[in-house]
Amino acid sequence: MTIHEGKPLNNRETRIFAIANQKGGVGKTTTTINLATALAAIRQKVLIIDLDPQGNASTGLGIRREDRECNSYHVLIGEAEVGDAVQATEIPGLSIMPSGVDLSGAEIELVNLERREYRLKETLRDGGGEYDYVLIDCPPALGLLTINALVAAQAVLVPLQCEFYALEGLSQLVNTIERVKAGFNPGLELQGIVLTMHDQRNNLSGLVADDVRQHFGDKVYKTMIPRNVRVSEAPSHGRPVIIYDLNCPGSRAYLSLAGEVIHRERRHRERGRAA
């Protein structure tokens, strides 16, 4: 990614999504890498920013730990520019800014930095607008790393597991989004909620899905990501499931989700031009 001082990240109408949920194990990273792969497959240019200290998005795209010497931590604290940290993946059109072990200490270090909530936003603003989509994989916590992602993003996509406590955690995240919108990023919006790990044999999954749709209406994607063994296996091979097994139910679901995202984005742009 080439750095052009002073130019905003909007030459290609770049859309920046934070993929966020403070609960772990909800399919957040899986959704990030497979949605990004599906978007790249339809010739969108995509960047993933791995902002989770666990670095699962980096691992899931085959980036070895020894190849992450320059990563999102160094960009956040100002030791490197975006272009220094971004790496190409084996998927045409898809790049990643990997995470590294240093990122686990970033929450503490950011506290003492100026404009600590804006570090990621200002870094992306200084980059050339060569991506159609930037997807930020957030950690499973509502700390300064996630706040940086929400301040930098234009929209939030929330993976939500079909389980009993789903709505309770979602309400906390929505409150955080509203606070960030009021205090730091007035343009932030909830792009959508994607139901993950859906088991059609389990009545509870169906009840949770109905409950979420009742509360959030058309903000919930029609596509639901099923529980699928191939989705679970793919990260151990360093590949998105869409590359690992294109014909499995999980791959078909993520391709369908990408179609919905593109459709919503077209409507968003049409509203913007009409305003």
Side-chain angles (χ1 to χ4, degrees):
M1 186 173 183
T2 306
I3 299 300
H4 301 285
E5 186 64 34
K7 289 187 179 180
L9 189 69
N10 62 4
N11 298 355
R12 297 172 63 122
E13 293 188 71
T14 303
R15 288 284 282 170
I16 305 175
F17 291 171
I19 316 296
N21 192 322
Q22 74 275 21
K23 287 177 62 63
V26 300
K28 177 177 54 60
T29 298
T30 301
T31 296
T32 301
I33 64 176
N34 285 290
L35 175 58
T37 302
L39 291 170
I42 54 175
R43 300 192 177 183
Q44 301 296 294
K45 197 164 183 183
V46 186
L47 172 66
I48 290 175
I49 297 177
D50 190 349
L51 216 58
D52 187 344
Q54 297 177 75
N56 292 335
S58 306
T59 301
L61 285 170
I63 307 298
R64 300 178 304 172
R65 294 204 173 269
E66 56 266 33
D67 294 331
R68 306 180 200 176
E69 290 184 6
C70 184
N71 55 62
S72 54
Y73 164 79
H74 302 96
V75 172
L76 271 179
I77 65 169
E79 288 186 357
E81 295 180 333
V82 174
D84 300 326
V86 169
Q87 299 185 31
T89 72
E90 68 171 13
I91 300 156
L94 176 59
S95 300
I96 185 169
M97 182 195 298
S99 170
V101 292
D102 296 332
L103 195 59
S104 58
E107 293 276 359
I108 297 171
E109 293 183 51
L110 284 170
V111 170
N112 296 317
L113 296 179
E114 291 184 9
R115 294 177 61 79
R116 60 192 181 187
E117 299 89 357
Y118 296 91
R119 304 291 295 191
L120 184 59
K121 180 182 179 72
E122 291 173 350
T123 291
L124 291 177
R125 183 188 61 201
D126 290 339
E130 60 183 83
Y131 296 101
D132 297 297
Y133 291 94
V134 176
L135 307 185
I136 308 170
D137 187 29
C138 300
L142 296 178
L144 272 172
L145 292 175
T146 298
I147 297 299
N148 262 267
L150 296 178
V151 172
Q154 296 151 328
V156 187
L157 192 152
V158 182
L160 190 71
Q161 187 178 359
C162 292
E163 63 167 22
F164 183 71
Y165 292 112
L167 275 176
E168 182 177 314
L170 181 58
S171 62
Q172 184 182 356
L173 177 58
V174 169
N175 288 337
T176 299
I177 292 170
E178 290 303 315
R179 288 198 298 271
V180 170
K181 185 173 181 176
F184 303 104
N185 185 3
L188 187 65
E189 62 179 2
L190 178 61
Q191 207 275 352
I193 299 166
V194 56
L195 297 167
T196 63
M197 303 182 187
H198 180 260
D199 187 346
Q200 61 183 1
R201 301 166 300 177
N202 186 332
N203 288 337
L204 180 59
S205 281
L207 292 172
V208 170
D210 291 343
D211 206 8
V212 175
R213 293 188 191 280
Q214 183 178 349
H215 279 78
F216 290 94
D218 61 6
K219 283 293 185 184
V220 185
Y221 291 104
K222 292 178 183 177
T223 301
M224 294 189 288
I225 310 302
R227 285 193 179 276
N228 183 222
V229 172
R230 304 298 270 177
V231 173
S232 302
E233 290 175 351
S236 66
H237 296 270
R239 291 184 164 189
V241 70
I242 291 171
I243 303 297
Y244 180 63
D245 185 349
L246 178 61
N247 296 313
C248 75
S251 291
R252 293 198 297 269
Y254 277 115
L255 289 168
S256 174
L257 175 64
E260 283 197 72
V261 168
I262 290 291
H263 180 68
R264 289 193 184 192
E265 287 302 300
R266 283 177 182 156
R267 286 190 300 171
H268 167 82
R269 290 187 170 104
E270 287 168 3
R271 288 195 302 267
R273 284 193 289 266

